[in-house]
Amino acid sequence: MSTAATRQFIVGVCGAGHCDTALAALAEAVGLQLATAGAALVCGGLGGVMAAACRGARAAGGITIGILPGADTADANPDVLVPIATALGEARNALIVRTADVVIAIGGEYGTLSEIALARKIGRVVIGLQTWDLGRDAAGEPHIVAVATAEEAVAEALAGCRLRLIQR
Amino acid sequence: MSTAATRQFIVGVCGAGHCDTALAALAEAVGLQLATAGAALVCGGLGGVMAAACRGARAAGGITIGILPGADTADANPDVLVPIATALGEARNALIVRTADVVIAIGGEYGTLSEIALARKIGRVVIGLQTWDLGRDAAGEPHIVAVATAEEAVAEALAGCRLRLIQR
Amino acid sequence: MSTAATRQFIVGVCGAGHCDTALAALAEAVGLQLATAGAALVCGGLGGVMAAACRGARAAGGITIGILPGADTADANPDVLVPIATALGEARNALIVRTADVVIAIGGEYGTLSEIALARKIGRVVIGLQTWDLGRDAAGEPHIVAVATAEEAVAEALAGCRLRLIQR
Amino acid sequence: MSTAATRQFIVGVCGAGHCDTALAALAEAVGLQLATAGAALVCGGLGGVMAAACRGARAAGGITIGILPGADTADANPDVLVPIATALGEARNALIVRTADVVIAIGGEYGTLSEIALARKIGRVVIGLQTWDLGRDAAGEPHIVAVATAEEAVAEALAGCRLRLIQR
């Protein structure tokens, strides 16, 4: 029987609804490796980075959750296994980062920046791949854990998930 | 490859967070039969009717989605496979019925009534098991399809899902 | 200087976005009398019952708050003094009843029913004018305080506001 | 009679719930000058920058709207004239920037950054006073209009409001 203690990790993948092929390849690799490691993926459910990450995760049989801004589950990209139709518009970004144990931001425009900020506000670790550079906080700690590869992003994300499991 | 057309049906199961054993048995039977029929179940993720329905669905290997009012995925009952932490309070009821193709209301207090009303507002069929009696609309149609057994509820729900698939 | 203790009462007025002239006249009388009594009015900000109630309240110089489902404050009816653009769709109904000290339901379709249910869920008194008949609870108390005139509705609403002020 | 065309401008003021006296003085000056210019102020309704801005606005008789994260209007600072109890947590940040014609960010931590990002996502001009430095976009335009004084912030905000009025 499942319990909260054994529930699988959920990693948020945030990124824009349109992206170039290089960024899509990066997102797909992140999704694939997350699923291979047994983590579920939660995202905004649309195209671009989100679709690429879901595609990678599904290729490895992972659970993909799409928390959509619109009113129709049919808006989800084809590799979303569990579509949530919120009809909340951009306010749904807060739900993505709440549901995630850790967030990986890939590239990103203003929507991604809002997810980074909302995640940090509620204490989630954010790992960044080619995303906003926000510098360091007053204690000298970087606001975002910047990494260069999908491998590093997934390794940091899993470490963050384990840390969160211990802390709660 | 999955597509929107082949995505499985999602049935909402609404009911109070506390219930007696008879209502729990009914909810568990509904969950079991929905999962057996291949439908995913979405609910509010907490106890009572929700927990019983999830338990039934998981016993048949179904997907169970819990759209939680609180901020922590750990609040989900142990048979929620996909917990969504909304931190939206009661406003999350709107998300449950948006995500569902059809809603089954089981017993129920004010929260359930709000889900029935929100579902009807956006055109979802609502099937009722021992729930609010709202009478009929101006055209003489009942607001809720009242049924007496879990079997009838699931049969009506699946028929409603198929109808919605055709209409969209 | 204002303080929380002296903040004016806020009464929610819930009703459909389209209504006949008789119901509009009733809503306008409610709005006028609420404002005359010094209460602010909160509603969904659109037409029908909402617009009529705001028109009445503004005629007496009252504060009218419209919590809109859409993304644009320009969607508010012309007598909304304070428009809130939520872009939350029907989920905004939960915010109307949270903000209100007491709710008056006038006529009403499914949206109004959802507001009645959400209000009762969080313990707000609901006064009904030509609205849903929900019967009585297990203790024999009516779910809605049914009244026949605008005067009675406003008197009951103000009594409910005073009671809430004492209880908190 | 009011109309959408003549409805007053609404300026969002975003900043942390705790701040030092220098930042509070800046926020208070912004609130005072906004109200003197006839603009309404919308904010998150809590302390720090929000409370100081409301205090300034009320001193000039302005309308102050507080869109609160919690469930109780009594959580608003004493200079909020119109409290909205959302019970949405951080998701309410999206409502503040939707309701505002233009946003002024003052100082700020992660919550403020999320409001900046959400505002930019939906096309609102953001004016910054001692806030995050986000650099420039691909076209070389700054993401935030950085200014040094309350006077400049209010002048830029009013210009932004007038521009938005023309565009819609």
Side-chain angles (χ1 to χ4, degrees), chain A residues 19-33 48-49 52-53 55 106 150:
Chain A
C19 69
D20 63 26
T21 52
L23 210 59
L26 194 59
E28 190 167 349
V30 165
L32 181 74
Q33 293 175 37
V49 165
R55 192 165 54 243
I106 304 179

Side-chain angles (χ1 to χ4, degrees), chain B residues 54-80:
Chain B
C54 288
R55 192 166 55 242
R58 290 300 299 146
I63 289 182
T64 51
I65 308 164
I67 302 185
L68 297 156
D72 195 332
T73 53
D75 296 338
N77 72 61
D79 292 298
V80 168

